[in-house]
């Protein structure tokens, strides 16, 4: 059983004496719940879970871990499937008590603490008819999703979450707290917008908000497999049809309503129902088995894809500052991997991917809750920003592909992950940007979304030409690589050794 020496725990308690910090170690009440992750495959017997309530307390924990050379990581939402928010035998800094959100409706900016979830932001902003570009799921952490890039349903209009980040308060490896922005520590601000998890703890983030004074049209549709070609046909027209206010996802999952794998579609239109139904009329004409698309408040939008194994609570809250309760989440083993595709899609290829996915689910029935999505969010605003303007290096004429595989039996870990990897890699190899003639990474980016990338993917594939600068900045801000549990970016001097 991995654990920290009693002397180390005692010193940690002394360091935090007089605070309201909660320290959970093996054998203590609440420890088993404290180490629980969204994916059971990431649960680790950590040395200590330290739950803080202030920035100073969090800084003290980082400083202690660094001084004593204790393996360390931060947990915000805890939804990483690579184990980035847990660490065997080390210290997990748990930010679940730091979820305050503050909205300035006059300046149209919003600040959120490092443990906030996207639901917290969505609900708070909606009180003032505002919205922030964020995740397409509301039960995941704001900091992690943002620092890796941050796609959302408003990306087509306003770019990525990192493109709307105004400043961030970061706890550095030595425990110091600084604010970074275009004016303050701009080199660090460049790095955290795409690789922030490797440079510190984002304890507070400030976003540009956007007016959102109306409901949106959105929801899911389920189709039988024979409608796949019609859906691909619409997807291939999406770039010419969209004005940035729409989103169109399609993919595969199992359904109790159908005997074989089904086609799951997600539609989004930032406007009224009449215009939305006209825009998506070729899709609706394919006669879905289930149609759950309708007008909804924006602050409900990012909950429509929440996994069934996560219970999210929503309250009607007033006031300027809000705190939402911690989510309760349990679930099976999970693995997230991604790729990219360019349009037009080849219908024969997509059908072959469908049959391969369906075959995996038939071979492993316990994985029937798995999903694979082709995520068509307008990319014009994203691509307007050069790939070297921030650390985020995946700005180009392509779309993300995401796959979340779910299963229960630990003995299947290696097999299912292998099948998932092969499937996702085949999509990128045949239909991704790197397969296109005259592909230029410096201009078109890597095509790899860091938040969807597996932990075993080389950093060169994720950050491309930005990696050398990131390594130099690691030498400046985190020379001993305290923050290494995400994509392990080493300082330049180490990379040469």
């Amino acid at each position: 059983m991995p654990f920290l020496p009693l002397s180390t725990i005692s010193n940690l308690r002394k360091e935090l004496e007089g605070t309201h910090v909660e320290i959970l170690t093996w054998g203590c009440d609440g420890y088993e719940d404290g180490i629980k992750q969204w994916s059971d495959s990431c649960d680790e017997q950590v040395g200590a879970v330290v739950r803080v309530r202030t920035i100073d307390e969090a800084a003290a924990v980082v400083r202690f871990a660094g001084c004593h050379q204790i393996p360390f990581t931060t947990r915000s939402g805890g939804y990483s499937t690579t184990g980035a928010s847990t660490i065997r035998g080390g210290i997990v800094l748990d930010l679940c008590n730091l979820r305050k959100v503050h909205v300035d409706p006059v300046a149209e900016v919003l600040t959120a603490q490092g443990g906030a979830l996207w639901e917290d932001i969505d609900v708070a902003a909606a009180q003032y008819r505002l919205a922030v570009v964020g995740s397409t799921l509301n039960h995941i952490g704001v900091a992690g999703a943002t620092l890796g890039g941050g796609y959302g349903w408003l990306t087509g209009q306003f770019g990525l979450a990192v493109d709307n980040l105004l400043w961030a308060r970061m706890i550095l490896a030595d425990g110091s707290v600084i604010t970074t922005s275009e004016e303050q520590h701009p080199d660090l601000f460049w790095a955290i917008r795409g690789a922030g998890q490797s440079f510190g703890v984002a304890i507070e983030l400030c976003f540009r908000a956007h007016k959102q004074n109306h409901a949106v049209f959105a929801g899911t549709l389920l189709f039988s497999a024979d409608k796949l070609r019609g859906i691909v046909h619409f997807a291939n027209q999406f770039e010419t049809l969209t004005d940035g206010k729409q989103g169109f996802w399609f993919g595969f999952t199992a359904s109790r309503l159908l005997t074989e794998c089904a086609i799951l579609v997600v539609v989004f239109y930032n406007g009224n129902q009449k215009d939305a139904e006209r825009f998506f009329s070729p899709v609706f004409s394919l006669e879905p088995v289930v149609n759950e698309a309708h007008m909804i408040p924006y602050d409900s939008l990012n909950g429509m894809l929440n996994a069934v194994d996560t219970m999210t609570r929503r309250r009607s809250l007033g006031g300027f500052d809000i705190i939402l309760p911690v989510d309760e989440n349990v679930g099976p083993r999970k693995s997230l991997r991604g790729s990219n595709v360019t349009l037009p899609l080849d219908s024969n290829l997509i059908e072959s991917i469908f049959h391969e996915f369906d075959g995996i689910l038939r071979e492993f029935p316990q994985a029937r809750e798995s999903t694979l999505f082709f995520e068509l969010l307008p990319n014009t605003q994203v691509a307007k920003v050069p790939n070297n303007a921030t650390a985020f290096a995946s700005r180009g004429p392509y779309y993300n592909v995401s796959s979340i595989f779910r299963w229960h039996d630990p003995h299947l870990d290696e097999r299912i992950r292998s099948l998932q990897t092969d499937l996702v890699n085949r999509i990128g190899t045949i239909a991704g940007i790197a397969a296109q003639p005259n592909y230029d990474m410096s201009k078109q980016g890597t095509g790899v979304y860091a938040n969807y990338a597996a932990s075993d993917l080389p950093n060169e594939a994720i950050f491309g030409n930005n990696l050398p600068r990131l390594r130099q900045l690691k030498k400046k801000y985190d020379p001993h690589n305290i923050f290494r549990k995400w994509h392990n970016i080493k300082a330049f001097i180490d990379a040469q050794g």
Side-chain angles (χ1 to χ4, degrees):
M1 181 68 64
F3 61 91
L4 292 173
L6 291 177
S7 59
T8 302
I9 296 296
S10 177
N11 289 336
L12 177 60
R13 294 187 186 279
K14 288 179 181 178
E15 182 81 15
L16 299 170
E17 191 173 2
T19 70
H20 297 288
V21 168
E22 183 180 7
I23 302 175
L24 302 174
T25 58
W26 183 78
C28 293
D29 290 341
Y31 173 79
E32 292 298 328
D33 289 336
I35 66 173
K36 197 70 177 173
Q37 302 290 309
W38 182 56
S39 171
D40 290 352
S41 54
C42 294
D43 290 347
E44 293 277 10
Q45 298 297 321
V46 306
V49 176
V50 186
R51 288 178 178 159
V52 298
R53 294 184 179 274
T54 69
I55 293 176
D56 289 342
E57 291 170 357
V61 175
V62 175
R63 184 164 51 248
F64 182 88
C67 288
H68 295 272
Q69 297 182 322
I70 300 171
F72 170 86
T73 195
T74 304
R75 171 175 169 157
S76 177
Y79 291 93
S80 165
T81 68
T82 64
S85 52
T86 188
I87 191 161
R88 187 172 181 82
I91 291 177
V92 173
L93 175 62
D94 191 339
L95 304 182
C96 67
N97 292 320
L98 293 173
R99 292 180 62 177
K100 288 184 179 179
V101 176
H102 175 86
V103 182
D104 184 337
V106 177
E108 295 185 353
V109 297
L110 180 149
T111 58
Q113 291 184 316
L117 305 184
W118 279 108
E119 180 184 36
D120 304 348
I121 283 185
D122 291 340
V123 174
Q127 311 299 314
Y128 304 96
R129 296 191 170 189
L130 296 171
V132 172
V133 177
S135 175
T136 51
L137 298 172
N138 69 10
H139 63 257
I140 66 175
V142 170
T146 297
L147 298 183
Y151 284 86
W153 295 110
L154 296 181
T155 286
Q157 294 176 260
F158 308 116
L160 301 168
V162 288
D163 300 332
N164 290 270
L165 186 66
L166 299 176
W167 55 260
R169 189 159 292 137
M170 303 290 295
I171 303 174
L172 302 183
D174 61 1
S176 61
V177 182
I178 67 172
T179 298
T180 177
S181 66
E182 292 283 9
E183 293 75 32
Q184 303 179 73
H185 307 284
D187 58 348
L188 180 61
F189 193 55
W190 176 89
I192 68 168
R193 287 177 292 167
Q197 296 93 326
S198 296
F199 286 85
V201 177
I203 203 69
E204 191 174 18
L205 303 101
C206 179
F207 297 93
R208 181 183 300 108
H210 303 276
K211 292 188 183 298
Q212 186 67 41
N213 54 13
H214 57 267
V216 300
F217 183 85
T220 57
L221 301 91
L222 195 69
F223 294 88
S224 55
D226 61 299
K227 305 300 175 64
L228 180 55
R229 283 186 174 268
I231 291 167
V232 172
H233 179 71
F234 177 81
N236 285 337
Q237 301 179 68
F238 181 76
E239 285 182 334
T240 60
L241 295 174
T242 182
D243 61 2
K245 295 182 180 181
Q246 301 81 18
F248 179 71
W249 289 19
F250 75 95
F252 319 133
T253 192
S255 171
R256 297 176 182 176
L257 299 177
L258 300 169
T259 58
E260 62 179 343
C261 194
I263 313 303
L264 181 61
V265 167
V266 187
V267 296
F268 165 72
Y269 191 100
N270 195 4
N272 62 61
Q273 184 164 343
K274 183 178 179 180
D275 290 341
E277 290 179 341
R278 182 184 303 113
F279 182 89
F280 290 111
S281 59
V283 178
F284 290 124
S285 68
L286 296 173
E287 299 179 350
V289 176
V290 176
N291 180 355
E292 295 183 343
H294 55 280
M295 297 298 294
I296 57 174
Y298 182 85
D299 61 328
S300 297
L301 171 67
N302 294 327
M304 66 180 175
L305 290 178
N306 286 351
V308 295
D309 55 4
T310 302
M311 298 183 296
T312 58
R313 307 170 185 170
R314 179 182 173 209
R315 295 179 179 177
S316 177
L317 297 169
F320 209 62
D321 295 284
I322 70 167
I323 300 177
L324 290 177
V326 177
D327 286 0
E328 300 172 10
N329 48 76
V330 295
R333 311 178 77 77
K334 303 181 182 75
S335 175
L336 168 64
R337 286 181 181 262
S339 186
N340 75 88
V341 292
T342 59
L343 299 183
L345 298 170
D346 180 88
S347 294
N348 292 327
L349 170 65
I350 302 304
E351 282 191 343
S352 71
I353 296 297
F354 168 81
H355 290 302
E356 185 174 344
F357 183 84
D358 183 46
I360 295 173
L361 269 53
R362 290 179 184 276
E363 182 179 358
F364 302 101
Q366 64 174 265
R368 287 179 61 82
E369 291 182 356
S370 301
T371 57
L372 186 148
F373 273 117
F374 299 85
E375 304 179 357
L376 274 58
L377 296 173
N379 52 32
T380 302
Q381 295 300 320
V382 177
K384 280 183 178 179
V385 180
N387 275 291
N388 62 359
T390 66
F392 185 84
S394 184
R395 301 176 184 271
Y398 39 80
Y399 301 90
N400 288 324
V401 177
S402 67
S403 67
I404 296 182
F405 274 59
R406 298 174 169 89
W407 68 101
H408 300 269
D409 187 351
H411 295 96
L412 294 178
D413 287 2
E414 184 176 349
R415 177 58 177 157
I416 289 183
R417 285 178 176 143
S418 176
L419 289 169
Q420 179 188 28
T421 299
D422 291 345
L423 178 62
V424 170
N425 287 349
R426 188 159 80 89
I427 294 172
T429 300
I430 299 175
I433 185 63
Q436 300 303 311
N438 304 316
Y439 165 59
D440 185 343
M441 179 185 290
S442 64
K443 295 180 180 179
Q444 298 171 310
T446 63
V448 178
Y449 181 27
N451 286 343
Y452 286 178
S455 58
D456 57 357
L457 196 66
N459 283 327
E460 290 82 359
I462 301 172
F463 302 107
N465 295 338
N466 290 339
L467 185 58
R469 186 180 179 188
L470 287 170
R471 286 174 171 162
Q472 289 284 5
L473 291 172
K474 279 288 280 190
K475 182 178 179 181
K476 177 179 179 179
Y477 288 104
D478 184 19
H480 302 296
N481 203 16
I482 300 298
F483 305 106
R484 59 180 181 269
K485 276 293 289 179
W486 189 53
H487 299 293
N488 187 11
I489 301 173
K490 297 180 180 180
F492 186 77
I493 189 170
D494 296 330
Q496 303 301 307

